[in-house]
Amino acid sequence: MRLSRRLRNQRVDESLSPTEMSVLATLARCGSATPGELARKEHVQPPSMTRIVAMLEGKGLVRREPHPEDRRQVVVSSTEQAAAMLEESRLKRNAWLAGLAESLSEEELAVLRQAAPVLEKLAHL
């Protein structure tokens, strides 16, 4: 948990909360979604997601478009600005982790390489 928390702090835009960054990452990974779908994926209440989407839209990081089948809903998608910010944050986190990894022994690095597929599986369960 401590490593995860420290890793989350390695982001480019300090004004965004971890939840807001997570919403952008979900949109980048899964594609466009309704606010309700995003709320379910992020485990937040729909009114909270509505506020998050409005804030992200105000910063130019997402855009809302009419739902193609249901005019009562909107579809949220990330912008190019969000993609660039996520990539820059990813590069920053990777550099930070690489710096940490330099202090590990060859044996410790070997253990990490063996554990990586298991950790990846756990992350996607």
Side-chain angles (χ1 to χ4, degrees):
M1 290 299 287
R2 193 173 309 136
L3 180 61
S4 175
R5 195 173 317 119
R6 289 177 64 197
L7 194 56
R8 274 194 304 267
N9 287 329
Q10 302 299 315
R11 58 184 191 267
V12 175
D13 189 335
E14 298 281 330
S15 71
L16 296 180
S17 72
T19 301
E20 293 158 351
M21 288 293 290
S22 181
V23 169
L24 292 177
T26 296
L27 287 170
R29 187 176 58 255
C30 301
S32 300
T34 66
E37 292 167 339
L38 284 172
R40 280 189 295 282
K41 288 178 182 180
E42 295 298 317
H43 305 287
V44 299
Q45 295 298 313
S48 296
M49 185 55 66
T50 299
R51 285 189 296 277
I52 291 168
V53 168
M55 190 280 307
L56 292 172
E57 184 179 35
K59 290 188 173 207
L61 299 172
V62 300
R63 65 180 157 270
R64 290 190 254 199
E65 299 165 341
H67 192 284
E69 299 164 6
D70 185 350
R71 290 180 182 226
R72 297 170 297 169
Q73 293 193 48
V74 295
V75 175
V76 180
S77 56
S78 61
T79 63
E80 295 77 24
Q81 180 182 343
M85 186 191 63
L86 285 172
E87 179 61 21
E88 193 175 342
S89 289
R90 194 173 297 118
L91 291 172
K92 184 176 180 180
R93 285 191 312 272
N94 286 347
W96 182 78
L97 277 173
L100 287 180
E102 288 175 358
S103 67
L104 299 178
S105 69
E106 283 301 318
E107 294 79 23
E108 290 169 324
L109 287 170
V111 170
L112 273 179
R113 283 186 202 97
Q114 289 177 336
V118 175
L119 293 172
E120 182 73 22
K121 181 179 178 180
L122 288 174
H124 290 71
L125 287 180

